[in-house]
Amino acid sequence: MIATANAHSGQNPRSLPKAGHLLEIKGLKTYFYLFEGVARAVDDVSLHLDRSEVVGVVGESGCGKSVTAQSIMRLVPEPPGRIVGGSIVFDGMDLVKLPADRIRNIRGNRIAMIFQEPMTSLNPVFTIGDQIAEMFRQHMHLGRRESLERAVEMLARVQIPEPAKRARAYPHQLSGGMRQRAMIAMALACSPEILIADEPTTALDVTVQAQILDLMLQLRQDFHTAIIMITHDLGVIAEMAQRVVVMYAGKVVEEALTADLFDRPLHPYTAGLLESMPRLGSRRPGRSRKLKEIKGMVPGLLDLPPGCSFAPRCPRAMDICRRRVPELVPAGNGRRVRCRLFPGQGDTSATTADGG
Amino acid sequence: MQPLLTVDDLKVHFPIKKGLFSRTVGHVYAVDGVSLTLAGGETLGLVGESGCGKTTTGLAILRLLDPTGGRIIYDGNDITGMSRSRLRPLRRQLQIIFQDPYSSLNPRMTVNEIIADPLRVHGLYNGSEGRQWVEYILEKVGLSPEHGRRYPHEFSGGQRQRVGIARALALRPRVIIGDEPVSALDVSIQAQIINLLIDLQTEFDLSYIIIAHDLAVVEHMCDRVAVMYLGKIVESGLYHQVYNNPLHPYTRALLSAIPVPDPGRPRQRTILQGDVPSPIEPPPGCHFHPRCPRARDGCNRRMPELVEHRPGHRVRCWLYRDTNHG
């Protein structure tokens, strides 16, 4: 029944993760040491990714979703940032501990990344073709001519019209959608096992966004690339991801299969997000136009409240929430939730720990 | 009922200049014949993709840009060619909120000064009464008097947008144009600002023009909607007409392109090919025909007129030929 639910997902989203994940992040901590104090941008984040899977990471600004991605790629600006704990295991290697030269062989080659604004990540003084060809020269040690030919092939794969001509264009000569395609071509040049997409369509118009999302899912089928989709847009998550990780103030607060999360969000933050979104077709004539809202603001990372970071905004917060940080506990069907409303918190008298 | 604001055949063309003597070599047809009306207390949504001319339309209505052609009539006064001095008292009644509150707030002024500044410009600020008014407005947008003594950089995005709203509101305007007022905000903050705008509308009897690319936001806020493509309105109507029964192939594609936060829903998506063409040399005939899934012979020759298909629901498309005698 799920197969018809999401026309795009090729694999059965219900298939349970097998032992030995493609990528496994455990207890990752990436802190920024600033003059004003320590910003715990990523604070004890664990997540995994399997082959050909699309995992969505969703959250608001400052929740740590982009820093998590930068940590995987070892692109955290140091200083002030530093990975201070945890592991990121990919193909038996811990990326956190890997020396810089070995990371360079993985980055761009086996794990690639695309960003929100392609213009800032493309080099303005080289042609698109040259920049994609460099991937082949660098990682596959191909010759100049062959690299360029492969670059033109890649441009054709991402459905850029007149690829040979566009290969000679500079980034500023292409439209936003074309630049994002060129960036995807570059990212997929070496058939990476993992593609990290950080808000890949946020800067694009909706009709172009639809093209790019469609292209990404199609390429995932062709290249068997697993995708980590980082976004604030729950609509994009619903259409792209089989599994979702919700982050708030540097921590994972909920993880679930996409269908389960939208069907029955467990964490009050997730529930609040889903309710506060204006949705197409949800307005009823004669009813109030007002939306449900989450009170207050996202806390600053330098002055996080004690206890659960969401407690000051949470409609269901209890006394203990403001004192002690809850743990991320299993909640059945592969779900995890970091909230005291659910049993399994070690220090409470809850009895029925629901093992997933 | 007499509309509060009428825009008739508005045109804004920007000359493209080149060379030593700045010869005009062409024009950007940013807004090319837009007509709309806004009644008192009404909210009109202006939607479309980047480059469609929605922001330029908003700026021209406020005379922040000078229109190339057409007329803007506010409350019975033709303000199109009005001199700056005569325009000033009317300007007070037409205000704008910008997308990025940070770049539109002076970083060297406190919030109190930012809100009082337009009052001073209009000669409406006097001593303690002015201070009380600023405090009252701050409270109305959900900020405390203590916030008034701070600088813009001390605020979060949502709070800055509240300051932007307070500044617009301080002059007791009748019309507020919101140019992407919530699109830079986080999801959980977006709902707060939308609700605030809805509350203020009732309390201060405001009319809104909401310019946005997010169709879900516009559906929630607006009574009527106009969809723009390359400088022209292609469809307009009551919100439920446009959303429940979209007529123009572009409106349909736009609505179907939005990712829906409901993984259980089967989707039928029209994916448009290509990008929005440049408004410098828009395609001949109907500007949308090169991307239109239903384009046919003739669409590339003549631009269809915006005609009334059903009462209040207008569309600019040759498919609705029975009503299109233009």
Side-chain angles (χ1 to χ4, degrees), chain A residues 75-89:
Chain A
L75 288 172
V76 176
E78 284 181 58
R82 193 145 49 95
I83 300 177
V84 295
S87 62
I88 303 172
V89 176

Side-chain angles (χ1 to χ4, degrees), chain A residues 241-292:
Chain A
Q242 286 110 48
R243 207 149 48 78
V244 193
V245 172
V246 183
M247 287 185 72
Y248 188 79
K251 287 189 157 65
V252 173
V253 295
E254 182 162 4
E255 178 186 340
L257 293 175
T258 309
D260 293 346
L261 187 95
F262 283 82
D263 191 36
R264 195 170 64 94
L266 296 181
H267 199 284
Y269 174 62
T270 319
L273 268 189
L274 285 169
E275 281 178 350
S276 65
M277 266 180 85
R279 293 177 186 220
L280 273 186
S282 66
R283 184 169 163 195
R284 298 282 166 267
R287 289 258 202 89
S288 166
R289 290 180 294 162
K290 289 179 73 172
L291 294 161
K292 288 222 172 105

Side-chain angles (χ1 to χ4, degrees), chain A residues 219-234:
Chain A
L219 293 171
R220 165 183 156 246
Q221 298 213 318
D222 299 352
F223 290 81
H224 305 291
T225 303
I227 299 176
I228 299 180
M229 188 82 190
I230 298 171
T231 178
H232 69 282
D233 188 330
L234 289 158

Side-chain angles (χ1 to χ4, degrees), chain A residues 69-119:
Chain A
Q70 287 171 359
S71 304
I72 300 169
M73 296 291 277
R74 286 273 297 276
L75 288 172
V76 176
E78 284 181 58
R82 193 145 49 95
I83 300 177
V84 295
S87 62
I88 303 172
V89 176
F90 169 68
D91 193 18
M93 298 170 283
D94 184 355
L95 300 184
V96 170
K97 298 200 178 79
L98 223 53
D101 57 324
R102 289 192 57 202
I103 275 286
R104 227 170 284 134
N105 290 332
I106 292 171
R107 191 198 291 147
N109 187 14
R110 300 184 63 189
I111 305 179
M113 188 161 175
I114 55 177
F115 302 89
Q116 172 171 348
E117 182 34 79
M119 200 58 197

Side-chain angles (χ1 to χ4, degrees), chain B residues 13-16 24-30 68 279-282:
Chain B
H13 299 167
F14 297 107
I16 306 165
T24 302
V25 294
H27 284 92
V28 179
Y29 300 97
T68 316
I280 298 171
E281 278 177 78

